[in-house]
Amino acid sequence: MRAFGQDNKFSWLGPLENVPQQAPVQSQVCVTDQASCGCCLMQKQIGRLEKFFNMSINKLKDELMSSKMILNNMRGSRSAFSVALNNNSAMVSYGPFSSDSIIKYKHVFINLGDGYNVETGIFTVPRSGVYSLSVTVYSSARVTLSNCVTLQVNGENVAEAIERSGQDLEDSTSVVVAVQLNAGDQLSVRLLQGCSLSDDINHYNTFTGFLLYASD
């Protein structure tokens, strides 16, 4: 049994109107229920952190991809070779021949990218770009005294290194050039007819080239 006035529809002042109750607003919830308010704020903060985390991950992925591309480009740009005529302990003459002939440098100091072929004496350009090329020739009066070569690209003369029968007992000369080359171009040093070289373990005759920068 309930006492008079305890019924929801009545009071000492008479019957109560049936007024629909409104849902409490957020500020009221925070006042009446601190735990629910703290949970709501935490969820919002977690959402912000998750968004920031995802943005950071995507940025790191982009930077990683860019770094990989740069690294692959650097690896692809590694092209260098340096070779000498021979590695004999005693001085040996190379030539003369009855016609112009490609010099086959047999001693390899470096062949980064495997562009130089010791069997043919030809360097095949692996990547388009600007290359630095140098040739040094030497001959000795003890063996022969007349060195004359041409640096060629695809059979066309680029530069000459010529020293013919000077007044001393040794002749030597060098040539250095920077040239624009395309992938697949073939470089060689051609010994001219009637000329010869002299070399031993001291490596007086060398052929060197390397990529300065790629242009593809």
Side-chain angles (χ1 to χ4, degrees), residues 33-200:
D33 190 351
Q34 294 292 332
S36 297
C37 184
C39 181
C40 180
L41 293 175
M42 185 176 296
Q43 287 180 344
K44 290 183 178 180
Q45 186 66 19
I46 291 174
R48 295 191 189 99
L49 291 174
E50 183 178 3
K51 183 179 180 180
F52 176 77
F53 178 78
N54 290 333
M55 291 175 61
S56 299
I57 289 294
N58 292 333
K59 185 176 180 180
L60 288 174
K61 287 181 178 179
D62 292 340
E63 291 179 353
L64 178 61
M65 183 65 67
S66 178
S67 298
K68 286 182 176 179
M69 291 177 62
I70 293 173
L71 182 59
N72 290 334
N73 186 58
M74 292 176 61
R75 288 174 175 171
S77 297
R78 294 186 302 179
S79 178
F81 72 98
S82 185
V83 293
L85 191 58
N86 61 51
N87 199 39
N88 296 335
S89 58
M91 187 69 72
V92 176
S93 175
Y94 184 87
F97 301 111
S98 59
S99 61
D100 297 351
S101 62
I102 295 176
I103 300 174
K104 298 176 182 178
Y105 296 88
K106 293 299 184 180
H107 183 71
V108 178
F109 296 110
I110 186 174
N111 191 17
L112 191 60
D114 298 322
Y116 178 76
N117 188 326
V118 294
E119 300 300 323
T120 62
I122 295 174
F123 173 75
T124 302
V125 176
R127 186 170 186 178
S128 299
V130 175
Y131 285 75
S132 174
L133 307 173
S134 65
V135 177
T136 297
V137 292
Y138 169 87
S139 60
S140 170
R142 291 174 292 174
V143 181
T144 183
L145 192 60
S146 181
N147 56 61
C148 39
V149 303
T150 60
L151 173 62
Q152 296 187 332
V153 177
N154 299 327
E156 299 294 330
N157 290 349
V158 174
E160 293 183 342
I162 298 177
E163 184 73 19
R164 294 181 183 270
S165 300
Q167 299 301 315
D168 54 6
L169 297 179
E170 296 176 319
D171 281 341
S172 180
T173 187
S174 299
V175 60
V176 180
V177 295
V179 293
Q180 172 74 49
L181 300 173
N182 298 315
D185 285 347
Q186 294 189 329
L187 279 65
S188 62
V189 179
R190 189 174 294 270
L191 183 66
L192 302 182
Q193 178 183 359
C195 299
S196 59
L197 306 174
S198 306
D199 212 349
D200 58 15

Side-chain angles (χ1 to χ4, degrees), residues 16-37:
L16 297 175
E17 295 182 0
N18 190 11
V19 178
Q21 298 188 4
Q22 297 179 349
V25 296
Q26 182 65 36
S27 60
Q28 293 174 335
V29 172
C30 289
V31 172
T32 58
D33 190 351
Q34 294 292 332
S36 297
C37 184

Side-chain angles (χ1 to χ4, degrees), residues 4-6 10-14:
F4 180 77
Q6 290 182 338
F10 297 92
S11 71
W12 293 105
L13 301 176

